[in-house]
Amino acid sequence: MRSFRTDLHIHTVLSPCGDLEMSPARIVSLAIKHGLDIIGITDHNSTKQCELVWKLGKRLGLTVIPGCEMTSREEVHCLGLFEDFDALKEFQNFLDLHLTIIPNKPSLFGYQAVVDEDDYILEEQANYLGASLDVSVEEVEQKVHELSGIFIPAHIDRPRNSLYSQLGFFPPELKVDALQISKFANEKIVREKFNINSEITLVKFSDAHYPEDLGKTYTIFEMEEPTFTEIRKALLRKDERSVRIP
Ligand SMILES: [Zn+2]
Ligand SMILES: [Zn+2]
């Protein structure tokens, strides 16, 4: 078994709150510089920058998992990660169908740019990506799993936009592959506070919006190789795979 430094919650310049410096090329070079082995790209309610980060990562030997940070109707943030671009494309259709239409005001909400590998802007997203989807957190989870993706409620310890802050409880029907805690959270304290049983894996990711956030926060995945299948096994602690928050 090998150890992989993994951070599966990173925003690019496409997220309205993502720094303009968070271009695909910059993210890949910073991830490598800081010794990360696997990163996940999870912009708010859009997947449109994933493929380029994946391509640049592949060139330099960095594993990039395409994904998204969705905002459910209840304003719960959750991560969806996908194995391939067919699933990702289908998930993008789901996002396009369900995103509440609010025209973006860059001066107010921030820029939402899709850029190329030289950081040139290819297009700006017209609808505000920080808006919520018109579906429940359970419906989002079902869609992610229907596409064989990984579903992880985001920053569950935070007082806003988390499962517990928005719903006040863990929905019994919700099937999670893990729960993500935020960078300053303590795993043991979070487990006790929210009464999370030991069957559920906790992971810690950066939720990086700025270059300086990258590389400091990660989870160690103990598995055979840096693939989507192995990541899922590690989260579910199958076949002796596991994860560990350093
Ligand atoms: Zn979030
Ligand atoms: Zn985030």
Side-chain angles (χ1 to χ4, degrees):
M1 223 64 83
R2 294 157 63 196
S3 301
F4 298 91
R5 286 188 184 198
T6 304
D7 178 6
L8 298 176
H9 188 166
I10 295 172
H11 293 267
T12 77
V13 61
L14 174 57
S15 290
C17 42
D19 193 73
L20 288 173
E21 296 288 309
M22 292 292 270
S23 70
R26 186 88 192 275
I27 288 171
V28 168
S29 84
L30 282 170
I32 291 170
K33 180 181 157 198
H34 290 297
L36 294 175
D37 300 300
I38 305 169
I39 63 168
I41 296 302
T42 53
D43 283 306
H44 291 292
N45 297 317
S46 178
T47 65
K48 290 190 178 168
Q49 201 74 77
C50 292
E51 192 160 357
L52 177 58
V53 187
W54 175 85
K55 195 176 104 183
L56 298 179
K58 193 170 160 69
R59 219 180 265 169
L60 297 170
L62 175 74
T63 301
V64 177
I65 305 296
C68 183
E69 178 173 22
M70 298 76 77
T71 306
S72 75
R73 187 168 64 204
E74 311 90 338
E75 306 261 343
V76 176
H77 285 188
C78 36
L79 306 176
L81 299 156
F82 299 93
E83 182 159 24
D84 58 50
F85 291 100
D86 288 338
L88 193 76
K89 197 170 168 216
E90 203 168 317
F91 194 70
Q92 181 62 51
N93 292 339
F94 174 83
L95 296 170
D96 291 339
L97 195 63
H98 292 290
L99 182 66
T100 306
I101 303 300
I102 299 172
N104 188 41
K105 293 194 188 82
S107 58
L108 193 63
F109 300 135
Y111 287 94
Q112 305 182 144
V114 176
V115 301
D116 70 9
E117 62 179 280
D118 299 314
D119 299 359
Y120 286 109
I121 295 175
L122 297 173
E123 57 170 318
E124 281 190 53
Q125 300 299 295
N127 294 323
Y128 175 49
L129 297 173
S132 55
L133 304 171
D134 64 2
V135 281
S136 69
V137 63
E138 287 96 339
E139 286 170 294
V140 175
E141 178 265 304
Q142 283 158 16
K143 187 66 189 179
V144 171
H145 282 142
E146 187 188 304
L147 295 169
S148 303
I150 289 172
F151 178 80
I152 304 177
H155 42 67
I156 57 154
D157 51 294
R158 275 194 10 195
R160 286 181 63 189
N161 298 123
S162 75
L163 199 59
Y164 295 104
S165 74
Q166 302 310 110
L167 304 181
F169 65 100
F170 190 108
E173 300 297 307
L174 195 69
K175 293 186 180 69
V176 304
D177 295 288
L179 298 172
Q180 183 233 315
I181 60 174
S182 57
K183 63 179 168 185
F184 298 117
N186 175 287
E187 178 177 359
K188 193 164 172 272
I189 292 171
V190 173
R191 272 194 195 281
E192 280 169 13
K193 181 174 177 189
F194 298 108
N195 196 17
I196 299 165
N197 75 47
S198 58
E199 309 262 290
I200 297 177
T201 299
L202 295 191
V203 285
K204 187 181 274 198
F205 300 140
S206 70
D207 195 3
H209 287 74
Y210 297 89
E212 56 269 30
D213 299 335
L214 257 173
K216 296 180 196 122
T217 310
Y218 52 85
T219 293
I220 306 276
F221 280 57
E222 305 280 358
M223 53 195 189
E224 286 293 335
E225 50 180 15
T227 61
F228 189 86
T229 307
E230 287 281 309
I231 288 170
R232 192 200 316 267
K233 277 188 188 178
L235 291 172
L236 300 176
R237 288 172 271 169
K238 282 188 178 158
D239 300 341
E240 285 162 48
R241 275 73 170 162
S242 61
V243 306
R244 168 167 58 85
I245 296 172

